[in-house]
Every structure is written in C-alpha cells, then in structure tokens.
Amino acid sequence: MGTKRKIAIIGAALFQEPAIAAAKEMGLETHVFAWAAGDPGEKTADFFYPISIREKDLILEECRRIGIDGIVSIASDLAMETVNYVAEEMGLPGNTTAATKISTNKHWMRKAFEENGDPSPRSMLVDAKTDFNSIDMEFPLIVKPTDRSGSRGVHKVYDRRKLRDAIIRAREYSFEDKAVVEEFVEGDEYSIEYISFRGQHWFLAATQKITTGAPYFIETGHRQPAPLSEEMLNRVKAISEHALDTLGLENGAAHIELKIDGDRINIIEIGGRMGGDFIGSDLVKLSTGYDFVKGVIKVALGEDPEVPEIRPVAHSGVNFIISQKDVEAYEQFKADHPGIILKEHIDSDLSDIVTDSSNRHGYYIFRYTEI
C-alpha cells in the first residue's frame, strides 16, 4: 500500500465538515488548521493544528513540514487568502495572490470590473480620511465593509443623515477599517456556482436567494435550480465567465452573486470559493447529482474535477430560522411536506436578535424530485 496523500483544510467550523468528510471518503489524510475553539473539525480531522487561519506563514511552515499534496477551504473568503498563499508558495494548484486580493476586497473587485467592462454597481472607497460631503452618489446607497462576507456590516441608507453612521458601522466590521459606498441596484437576487481548473470554467448551478431586504439583507433561504429562462441563464453564464477571467480566478470554486432586473444583469460580488449557507456543500449535489466538494478537492490535488453535462435532477433548498415566526413556518412546512427535510437544526433559545448571517437561529434543508 502506498502512502496516503495529504490535504490541508483551513478552518474547523461546521461548514468545513463536508470538506473533511469528503477528503476522508477519497482516502486522503486530513490536516486541519484553525484557532482552537471546540469546533467539530478539531475532532473529525486526522490531525488538528491550533493555528489561526490568519497566521498564513505559520501554516505554510507546517504544511511544508507535513508535505501536503493540496490545500482547500470552503465558504470562507478569509480562509482563501491563506489557502492561495500556501498553494502559491508550495507550487500547488490554487489562485494567485493578486487574484485573491481582488476577489476578497470589494473595492478592488469593483475597480477590476469597471476596467474590464463587467456590469456592476458604481462604488466609492471610504476610510477614516474621507470627507463625507465628497460622496456624490444618488440615494439609496448600500454601505459595506471592503473585506467581509455573510451580510456583516451591510446597510442600506436612504439619505445623507444616516450615511455617516452606516459608514462607521461598516468600517468597524472591516479588517482594514475601510468601507465601500455603492449605488443600490434593483432586481431579484441570485447566486451562480462554478468550478474551474487551469482557467477552464464549468457552470454548476443557479440559486435563487431570499433575504430580509433592507436594512441588513440577511439571507433567509436559497432555492435550486433558480427559475431563469434558458436565454437569461446563457447570458448569466457568459457574464460570469468573463468576470472570472477579469478576477484571474482559474482554479477551484467560485460563488457569483448578482441581481437581475428585467434584462439588466449586475454583478454584486464574486468569491473565489464555494458558496456558503449549504449552497455548495449540500444544494448543488442534491439538485444536480454532482459532488461539488469532491470536485474542489480534486482541483486542489491537480486533478480534473470531472464535471459531467450538468442537468437539474431535483429541486433543493434551505430555509433559515430568524425568529419564532420562522419556527412556526418550519413546523407547517414539515407537516405539509413529510419526508423531504434532510437536515435540520433549530436553537432552543431564539432571544438573540439576528443581525447578520453568522448568528441566525437554525436551518432546514429539503429536496423534492419533481423537476
């Protein structure tokens, strides 16, 4: 028997569990890095290293010592900085440091889109030195941290009186103490999942997004496949693939968020990683049959992800619990659709107010086969 190949996984939280499980199913030895916090991956990994995911040089040193064959993370922009840094330093498949910088910072991303003709909202970078009176954009506006995901620090403002507070709040969430102010574009929200290998891009799924709307835009649910016409889906694919090339994302997963208003498509942002909220880890496989997680691991090992001709085979979705009203909706859903809920968790205490996607009170994932 040969020596097991070794995969490094950055992050040990619940949403990294599918990567750990898939790697083990593939016969790989799993080496997981994260700050010790009692997360599931600390126990399920073959080897766990209590190193913060931001300590990329320490992780690089350990990965060299281990002799890893690939490195991955799913659904985390912050982790991708370390993933791609280690991959580039060790000559492993990944995306360049330059591509990582652009795809994890909303200001640099908007700048790249503008320079390359990718449709996206007009935006402006703001920091501690910005004169608020210099912001000459039409309200309403969206204010976001430059470098966070999961709706953290996002706020919609309708007039200049609220703008200063929204900017301060967004900067507080930002690792670099900066925010972007963007024009608000109308439209229904969707996310598009891709996997890439050596610059070739494969479309996997389109997801319809459901949010609370203003002011915080917390995601409350997702549905696959999204109800898009073939003509619109083809346009979305063309725009998405051009934008992936703009950002230089050549290897691994990509999560593209966009809005569609009539015939107008606007890219909101792109992450060079798998979509969170169970989109990449669960929904893609449930609705198409393709194992997205294993595909991403194959790319990290330098292997073809073997994407078939993707066709929806089922409907899948996830609903999130924000309040007691959502629990009542869950109970009614379970009664009306017995047997289609596949995975669920609901907190016993719903008293905390939900302010972003990181502190929702639970979820339930479902699938039905009529297509």
Side-chain angles (χ1 to χ4, degrees), residues 52-354:
S52 167
I53 66 173
R54 302 190 72 182
E55 297 285 355
K56 56 187 183 182
D57 284 310
L58 288 178
I59 292 175
L60 171 61
E61 182 182 343
E62 198 65 30
C63 286
R64 280 179 168 152
R65 183 191 66 78
I66 296 163
I68 62 167
D69 298 285
I71 182 167
V72 296
S73 186
I74 59 177
S76 170
D77 286 327
L78 184 60
M80 294 314 299
E81 294 182 32
T82 297
V83 167
N84 289 324
Y85 175 75
V86 172
E88 190 169 48
E89 291 293 316
M90 293 186 66
L92 298 169
N95 292 307
T96 65
T97 299
T100 306
K101 177 184 177 182
I102 298 170
S103 61
T104 57
N105 186 289
K106 293 174 177 61
H107 168 62
W108 291 111
M109 186 181 300
R110 286 277 179 264
K111 194 172 186 320
F113 288 159
E114 183 179 358
E115 291 172 352
N116 289 276
D118 300 287
S120 74
R122 180 179 166 224
S123 72
M124 175 181 176
L125 178 69
V126 293
D127 58 23
K129 299 177 182 177
T130 301
D131 176 4
F132 294 112
N133 293 320
S134 70
I135 300 174
D136 183 22
M137 299 173 74
E138 187 175 341
F139 289 88
L141 298 172
I142 296 290
V143 182
K144 304 175 180 178
T146 53
D147 51 6
R148 296 304 297 270
S149 58
S151 307
R152 295 175 183 87
V154 177
H155 204 89
K156 183 179 181 182
V157 292
Y158 295 87
D159 56 57
R160 194 166 294 277
R161 292 175 301 165
K162 300 285 187 180
L163 184 58
R164 179 187 295 269
D165 288 344
I167 290 172
I168 291 171
R169 180 173 180 268
R171 284 177 44 217
E172 287 173 349
Y173 275 87
S174 170
F175 293 117
E176 63 175 6
D177 191 28
K178 295 179 181 179
V180 288
V181 177
E182 301 181 349
E183 64 176 354
F184 177 76
V185 294
E186 300 287 350
D188 296 324
E189 295 189 58
Y190 301 89
S191 63
I192 313 300
E193 302 302 310
Y194 265 85
I195 190 168
S196 304
F197 183 53
R198 297 176 180 169
Q200 182 176 357
H201 310 301
W202 289 275
F203 165 81
L204 298 180
T207 310
Q208 184 178 29
K209 182 189 296 189
I210 306 163
T211 78
T212 58
Y216 299 119
F217 300 94
I218 301 165
E219 294 171 10
T220 59
H222 303 284
R223 304 287 183 272
Q224 282 185 13
L228 296 173
S229 69
E230 185 175 355
E231 178 186 2
M232 178 57 75
L233 187 57
N234 286 335
R235 287 186 59 207
V236 164
K237 289 177 183 178
I239 286 172
S240 297
E241 290 166 25
H242 187 276
L244 291 176
D245 289 338
T246 289
L247 299 182
L249 294 174
E250 298 185 340
N251 291 292
H255 177 70
I256 301 153
E257 297 185 354
L258 47 81
K259 279 188 172 183
I260 301 176
D261 184 23
D263 289 334
R264 188 182 179 194
I265 300 171
N266 267 295
I267 301 170
I268 303 304
E269 59 187 65
I270 295 179
R273 41 82 179 171
M274 191 176 290
D277 278 358
F278 306 101
I279 293 171
S281 60
D282 291 74
L283 300 192
V284 169
K285 186 175 181 181
L286 290 173
S287 62
T288 70
Y290 179 70
D291 195 322
F292 194 5
V293 179
K294 288 185 177 178
V296 168
I297 292 172
K298 284 182 177 180
V299 170
L301 296 170
E303 299 176 4
D304 190 315
E306 299 177 308
V307 183
E309 185 70 27
I310 293 292
R311 290 280 185 273
V313 296
H315 289 279
S316 68
V318 58
N319 288 332
F320 293 97
I321 305 297
I322 307 292
S323 65
Q324 182 60 37
K325 184 178 177 181
D326 297 317
V327 176
E328 293 165 6
Y330 154 76
E331 291 169 347
Q332 188 63 55
F333 184 94
K334 196 168 187 176
D336 293 343
H337 307 284
I340 74 168
I341 294 178
L342 305 179
K343 191 186 294 185
E344 60 193 284
H345 169 78
I346 300 175
D347 293 343
S348 56
D349 181 5
L350 307 182
S351 59
D352 289 343
I353 297 173
V354 175

